[in-house]
Amino acid sequence: MATMDAKTLQQFEVVVHDFEDKVEFDSHDFIFKYIEKFEEDYIRMLQPVKDGFQILDSWFGRALLDNQNDLGIRKMDESSISRNIKGNDTSCAKWEIIK
């Protein structure tokens, strides 16, 4: 389980709220929007991570999954191929907004 403090959960809620005009988004979209809004926090999260972006980005996906009910989202059965933080097209989870 991806442990998340109250501040980070609130930040995740803010990011999800920004997607409410869309029906769905993927984990890479979420991470980019999180960085756009909370860049300093992302950098602080990244610093102690031994293997860098891939581990932190996996944590983000797990945190979305573990907190999907609180965030008002649902993991979709299909995945998405999109550009990750390093500019590579990789597979990631797709999420839909539950209204």
Side-chain angles (χ1 to χ4, degrees):
M1 180 170 184
T3 55
M4 186 182 320
D5 61 24
K7 176 186 174 187
T8 306
L9 180 59
Q10 185 176 34
Q11 290 173 334
F12 272 48
E13 290 169 344
V14 167
V15 173
V16 167
H17 180 74
D18 276 7
F19 286 112
E20 286 187 347
D21 62 329
K22 298 182 175 189
V23 175
E24 60 188 47
F25 61 93
D26 71 24
S27 294
H28 294 151
D29 295 331
F30 183 89
I31 292 166
F32 281 118
K33 187 151 308 263
Y34 183 90
I35 293 169
E36 180 183 302
K37 295 190 154 306
F38 306 107
E39 181 177 1
E40 290 179 18
D41 291 308
Y42 184 82
I43 291 168
R44 270 194 291 280
M45 292 171 155
L46 185 60
Q47 287 173 344
V49 178
K50 182 177 180 180
D51 293 321
F53 294 109
Q54 185 177 4
I55 299 297
L56 183 56
D57 291 356
S58 293
W59 178 87
F60 267 76
R62 186 67 195 186
L64 288 169
L65 181 65
D66 290 348
N67 294 281
Q68 61 184 326
N69 291 334
D70 292 332
L71 295 170
I73 60 175
R74 183 182 69 79
K75 184 176 180 287
M76 300 174 71
D77 292 333
E78 61 189 272
S79 62
S80 175
I81 301 291
S82 64
R83 197 162 307 265
N84 66 19
I85 193 74
K86 288 190 164 187
N88 300 316
D89 289 335
T90 59
S91 178
C92 66
K94 283 179 80 171
W95 306 90
E96 74 176 325
I97 305 286
I98 306 296
K99 299 202 181 203

